[in-house]
Amino acid sequence: MIKNIISLVIRKVPRPYLQLVSHHIAKGLSLFYQGNDVECPVCQKHFRKFLPYGRKARENALCPNCLALERHRLMYLFLRRKTNFFTAPLRVLHVAPEICFIGRFEKQQNLEYTTADIESPLAKVKMDIHAIPFPENSFDVILCNHVMEHVADDGLAMRELYRVLRPGGWGIIQIPLFHPLPETTYEDASITSPAAREKAFGQNDHVRLYGKDYADRLRAAGFMVEENCYTKELPVEEVERYALPTDEIIFYVKKL
């Protein structure tokens, strides 16, 4: 029942409204998920299991306390264990910021943290990623997750991110991966109806379906790219405890 309701809400409620109210709903549902079988590394809360989530709802996906999904929990572990994100003084641009991260990152004394998005009510700066309103070399770190599949010109958006990242800076630029991956990214600007886009690209607000060439598209914008399968470095017990995705690639980028 909950699985079907969540799937319907995600499909029917506009994302800006969903971002404003979903955490209140999830915290109410958390009362039914008390336990200690899974744990969220982002908020350190534990549950019997996580909430289902997605248009085709995945079991054990969404933390009912902070709303971290599988990919967010993995990225948080990667940031904490494999980068200087929590220790160095850094200027950070977070595009389309996730609610599970915003409050925590804003409280970090080492970060000068800027959130930006074209429509999200959670972001402080209203910004079109095709024309980022900051000078070149402005940021030490860029976080941009599940944005490129929505934008009209992903090459321009990637070049803009590269432009505002300082030399020596790094970032994580994630996209959804629908397995098995096609060899090359599929896009067709003539596909405009929500139903046709869902059929072609996996979701009704996507404008392309990324293939195995995604890292090359980032490289074409200037980035050095590491395709990191971080889950494979972790003990099976941690993967299960944190309910991490087993097929997620972290696209870790650098600017020389």
Side-chain angles (χ1 to χ4, degrees), residues 148 154-156 158-159 162 173 175 177 181-185 187 210-227 249-253:
M148 294 300 164
D154 65 335
L156 175 57
M158 292 171 186
R159 292 191 296 274
Y162 182 84
I173 307 178
I175 43 94
L177 297 172
L181 296 179
E183 289 297 319
T184 58
T185 296
E187 51 191 334
Y210 281 107
K212 297 177 183 178
D213 61 339
Y214 175 65
D216 289 334
R217 293 165 83 97
L218 290 168
R219 293 184 183 103
F223 292 110
M224 291 185 60
V225 183
E226 173 190 327
E227 298 177 66
I249 299 169
I250 294 176
F251 291 93
Y252 179 77
V253 303

